[in-house]
Amino acid sequence: MLTAGAEADVDPFVALLEEAAAWLWERGIPQWQPGTMRARRSLFVHAARSEGLLLARRGDALVAGCLLTPQRDPYWEEPAQPACTVHALVVARSAAGQGLGRRVLDAAGELARREGAALLRLDCWDGNETLRAFYRAAGFSELHAVLAQGARLRLFEKRIS
């Protein structure tokens, strides 16, 4: 299902993220500001080099992906148990509504568990109730909100061990 992305996959992944950002902003959801994913390209290159860029394809088409990292963001408390964090989970609009996002999260959780993590973490813009409901339905516990990067983010955590 998910494969490790290579450096050559970074630009198509960024394009998928930018497409999602534009779609969200058109609907009044400031989850990701258009243009910010291009600005973070070096982060995605680093993730690809460390096998943390996870991608799903249908044929040759990139349809979903995420970053999986063992590092925690500074606004997270240090976990009592090892944790991995999912960043930039995205599904192509052409593949939306087919359960792909949930399968990507499940696969990322399985990979994190095999790497010794007991917890899978992620966050989203606090005002995106649809996405918050999606994460709760995927088995994540909704935690508190934090102010980070000029936005109010909702933290989520799921036990995977």
Side-chain angles (χ1 to χ4, degrees):
M1 163 46 134
L2 281 186
T3 60
E7 230 175 299
D9 296 311
V10 169
D11 287 332
F13 181 68
V14 168
L16 190 61
L17 289 167
E18 287 293 342
E19 175 186 309
W23 183 87
L24 288 165
W25 275 66
E26 287 169 5
R27 283 149 186 79
I29 303 168
Q31 179 82 22
W32 295 330
Q33 183 173 358
T36 58
M37 296 305 164
R38 279 187 211 90
R40 297 174 62 197
R41 186 182 185 282
S42 62
L43 169 73
F44 303 131
V45 168
H46 176 74
R49 289 178 180 161
S50 63
E51 297 185 356
L53 176 60
L54 306 177
L55 304 175
R57 290 178 169 71
R58 288 201 179 130
D60 291 336
L62 177 61
V63 293
C66 70
L67 301 184
L68 183 66
T69 68
Q71 294 88 12
R72 68 177 179 84
D73 289 316
Y75 44 85
W76 279 96
E77 294 175 13
E78 190 64 42
Q81 299 170 6
C84 284
T85 305
V86 171
H87 300 277
L89 173 66
V90 64
V91 174
R93 296 309 315 148
S94 62
Q98 301 171 21
L100 191 53
R102 176 72 178 263
R103 291 194 304 270
V104 168
L105 282 176
D106 289 346
E110 179 57 27
L111 179 60
R113 188 189 62 72
R114 285 196 314 260
E115 292 180 0
L119 301 169
L120 188 63
R121 291 176 156 180
L122 52 82
D123 63 67
C124 73
W125 177 60
D126 194 46
N128 191 339
E129 182 52 45
T130 301
L131 189 54
R132 289 172 58 190
F134 168 76
Y135 290 141
R136 289 190 303 265
F140 285 82
S141 297
E142 186 171 280
L143 306 176
H144 58 280
V146 297
L147 221 56
Q149 304 162 5
R152 188 171 166 86
L153 302 177
R154 179 64 57 172
L155 305 180
F156 289 84
E157 189 172 78
K158 181 178 182 178
R159 179 158 303 285
I160 55 174
S161 63

